[in-house]
């Protein structure tokens, strides 16, 4: 029986159509293996560029100098506040020894906390606290002036137009200093309109 099978296999393998079929079958197997390997990967993940790069365009008076407004805000000092005596006392009451190193605190005091290192471009500095991209989304794909001039294209490239839901992700009962959150009132405190739009 083995002899018959070997002779049959030799005759089939000599035919050109067998080689084409075998190559095609191998191609399909390899294609499906690589397709499965990529499944579940986030293909639309944008990278964080940091406030310094955002500020390159958003510091002119003509555009409203949003950078200067941010620099004066509590958001800009969010990381540093974790080192204050008050923050340390709050943290210790909750069993956290070092708030500026704690995930429970950093998730709202640092932009992009918890994201993998490859999502942060050169020049991003976490110590700059709650930066533009905390509210507006990681900017690597919408930072270009050509994209930013087209709101629809910018949103498609990752720009987030913040809403109350964006804010309450951090301004909520989990925050030790939480005293309620009125979206309109707090929005007015951080307003940074672009008069050229």
């Amino acid at each position: 029986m083995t002899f018959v099978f070997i002779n049959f296999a030799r005759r089939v393998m000599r035919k050109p159509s067998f080689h084409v079929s075998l190559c095609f079958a191998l191609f399909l197997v390899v294609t499906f293996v690589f397709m499965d390997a990529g499944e579940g990967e986030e293909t639309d993940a944008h990278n964080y560029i940091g406030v310094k790069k955002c500020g390159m365009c958003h510091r002119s008076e003509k555009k409203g100098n949003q950078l200067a407004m941010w620099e004066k805000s509590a958001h800009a000092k969010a990381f540093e506040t974790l080192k204050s005596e008050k923050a340390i006392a709050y943290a210790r009451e909750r069993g956290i020894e070092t708030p500026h190193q704690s995930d429970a605190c950093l998730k709202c005091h640092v932009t992009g906390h918890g994201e993998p290192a490859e999502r942060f471009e050169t020049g991003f500095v976490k110590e700059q606290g709650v930066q533009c991209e905390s509210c507006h989304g990681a900017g690597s794909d919408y930072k270009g002036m050509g994209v930013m001039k087209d709101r629809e294209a910018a949103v498609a490239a990752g720009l987030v137009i913040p809403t109350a839901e964006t804010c309450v992700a951090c301004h909520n009962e989990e925050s030790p200093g939480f005293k309620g959150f009125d979206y309109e009132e707090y929005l007015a405190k951080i307003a940074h309109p672009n008069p050229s739009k």
Side-chain angles (χ1 to χ4, degrees):
M1 180 74 173
T2 306
F3 178 75
V4 172
F5 177 75
I6 292 172
N7 279 336
F8 172 76
R10 283 183 182 155
R11 275 187 264 138
V12 169
M13 287 175 55
R14 286 186 194 136
K15 295 184 179 186
S17 62
F18 173 78
H19 294 287
V20 171
S21 298
L22 181 62
C23 288
F24 183 69
L26 286 172
F27 169 76
L28 288 176
V29 167
V30 169
T31 301
F32 286 119
V33 165
F34 282 106
M35 282 174 63
D36 283 346
E39 240 175 64
E41 286 181 14
E42 198 173 330
T43 56
D44 60 349
H46 310 287
N47 291 336
Y48 292 93
I49 59 173
V51 68
K52 186 176 180 183
K53 287 184 183 169
C54 297
M56 291 172 70
C57 294
H58 292 278
R59 67 177 173 214
S60 75
E61 292 303 325
K62 181 182 173 187
K63 290 185 180 178
N65 199 349
Q66 291 89 6
L67 178 64
M69 291 180 186
W70 171 81
E71 288 171 335
K72 295 174 192 168
S73 75
H75 283 160
K77 299 160 191 70
F79 179 78
E80 287 305 313
T81 63
L82 293 177
K83 296 178 182 179
S84 71
E85 287 181 27
K86 187 177 179 180
I88 292 168
Y90 271 138
R92 288 205 174 127
E93 287 171 17
R94 286 153 184 82
I96 298 169
E97 194 60 35
T98 316
H100 71 278
Q101 295 175 347
S102 166
D103 289 335
C105 303
L106 292 173
K107 69 180 183 179
C108 286
H109 284 256
V110 170
T111 298
H113 180 70
E115 294 290 345
E118 58 269 15
R119 296 268 326 270
F120 298 91
E121 294 191 359
T122 305
F124 181 90
V125 179
K126 77 171 187 174
E127 290 81 6
Q128 291 180 310
V130 178
Q131 304 174 41
C132 316
E133 295 166 289
S134 284
C135 305
H136 294 288
S140 63
D141 297 319
Y142 68 78
K143 68 182 176 189
M145 193 177 293
V147 178
M148 285 296 281
K149 285 183 176 181
D150 180 346
R151 186 178 179 122
E152 218 173 274
V155 168
L159 175 68
V160 172
I161 308 302
T163 63
E165 287 72 32
T166 309
C167 303
V168 297
C170 285
H171 294 278
N172 58 46
E173 294 82 4
E174 283 185 43
S175 175
F178 184 73
K179 295 180 178 90
F181 183 74
D182 180 321
Y183 176 66
E184 296 301 328
E185 178 189 336
Y186 282 84
L187 184 62
K189 290 180 180 183
I190 61 157
H192 48 280
N194 183 343
S196 65
K197 292 204 177 216

